[in-house]
Amino acid sequence: MDSGLAELDARISGCRACPRLVAWREEVARTKRAAFAEWTYWGRPVPGFGPADASLLIVGLAPAAHGANRTGRMFTGDRSGDVLYAALHDVGLASRGTAVSADDGLELYGVRITSPVHCAPPANRPTPRERDACRPWLISELELLRPTLRAVVVLGAFGWQAVLPALAGAGWDVPRPRPAFAHGARITLDGRSRPLDLFGCFHVSQRNTFTGRLTPAMLRDVLRTAAEAAGLPTTPYER
C-alpha cells in the first residue's frame, strides 16, 4: 500500500474524537453478539479498504456494530457486505464474492471502499456533528487518491450529503445548489487534474435489499457503469 495512505489508515484507526462513538464501539466490542462470542472485536475506527491507486471509490455510511466494527475491514462480516461483495465479484471487481474476515484473502481490483464516518454509531445513525468531525479524514483520503481516481459510487443519501463537501474540500468543483441524491444519478465534477464521475446508489442496507428497493441487478448495473467510467474492465454477469 502507498505509504501516504497506509499512514492515513493508521491515524484513522487511532482516532478518539467523538466520545459517543468511542463509547459505543468499545461497549459493543466488550459485550459482543452471542454468535461471535469467540471473536476478538476490532472495536476501533475502521479505515478504508482497497488499493492506493484505485480509480473507483465506493463510499458507504459507517461500520456496522457487529460487521466492520468486529472484523476491522469495511463491509466485512455482515449482510450488507455480503450483497456488496457479491456484486463486485459478479462484475469482476473483487477476487471473491464473500467477505468474512480481514485475513480471508479478498482483493479488490482498482476499487477502494471507505465511509464518511469510520466508527460504528448507535442505531447506525451518526449525528451531523460526528459526520463533520470525520470529514477531514475523507478529504485526506480523496486527496491521496486524486492522481488515479476517476469515479465515485455513493451508497445512500447520508453518504451523498457527506461526500459532496469532502469532494469540494479535496479540489473538485461541486455545483451550487448541490445536486440531490437519487439512485442512478450521475454527475460529472470538474477538478484540478481530471473530471470525476459521481454516481448515486441506494445503500446496501438490509432494509433496502430485503424489500427489493435495491436488487442485485440494480447494484451490478451501477457498479458496472461506474467501473467503465473509471476505466476498469468488467466481466459479463452470468448465473
Side-chain angles (χ1 to χ4, degrees):
M1 179 184 292
D2 176 83
S3 59
L5 203 53
E7 180 181 349
L8 177 67
D9 289 347
R11 290 170 58 207
I12 289 172
S13 298
C15 183
R16 300 182 65 84
C18 300
R20 187 182 80 115
L21 297 186
V22 171
W24 173 252
R25 79 193 190 207
E26 294 180 355
E27 174 64 18
V28 170
R30 282 192 299 270
T31 58
K32 306 182 182 180
R33 177 174 284 172
F36 307 120
E38 301 304 315
W39 276 77
T40 299
Y41 275 51
W42 173 258
R44 289 180 277 159
V46 180
F49 168 52
D53 61 351
S55 58
L56 173 60
L57 181 67
I58 298 173
V59 181
L61 191 163
H66 301 281
N69 187 58
R70 169 173 59 92
T71 63
R73 193 176 71 189
M74 286 287 171
F75 282 104
T76 299
D78 61 26
R79 290 182 176 177
S80 294
D82 292 342
V83 173
L84 178 60
Y85 286 115
L88 287 167
H89 182 256
D90 287 342
V91 300
L93 299 175
S95 62
R96 52 186 286 173
T98 57
V100 179
S101 65
D103 60 357
D104 60 11
L106 171 65
E107 293 182 60
L108 299 180
Y109 304 136
V111 179
R112 184 170 171 85
I113 301 175
T114 193
S115 64
V117 175
H118 287 275
C119 293
N124 292 320
R125 292 181 180 177
T127 66
R129 179 176 294 182
E130 290 161 351
R131 175 201 64 199
D132 294 346
C134 223
R135 182 175 298 147
W137 297 126
L138 183 56
I139 292 174
S140 295
E141 191 168 11
L142 288 165
E143 289 175 336
L144 289 167
L145 291 170
R146 188 169 54 213
T148 57
L149 190 63
R150 296 174 62 181
V152 176
V153 173
V154 184
L155 303 175
F158 181 96
W160 185 268
Q161 293 165 0
V163 162
L164 290 174
L167 286 168
W172 279 277
D173 297 328
V174 177
R176 293 278 191 174
R178 289 175 179 164
F181 171 79
H183 180 83
R186 179 174 183 174
I187 298 158
T188 301
L189 307 178
D190 292 328
R192 283 179 283 181
S193 54
R194 63 165 65 89
L196 183 77
D197 285 313
L198 181 66
F199 296 85
C201 179
F202 290 140
H203 196 278
V204 288
S205 66
Q206 292 186 48
R207 176 181 297 178
N208 286 340
T209 57
F210 284 2
T211 62
R213 188 178 192 221
L214 177 68
T215 66
M218 291 167 64
L219 179 57
R220 289 193 299 268
D221 285 346
V222 172
L223 293 175
R224 181 174 284 108
T225 302
E228 291 169 354
L232 296 173
T234 60
T235 57
Y237 176 68
E238 297 179 0
R239 178 166 293 176

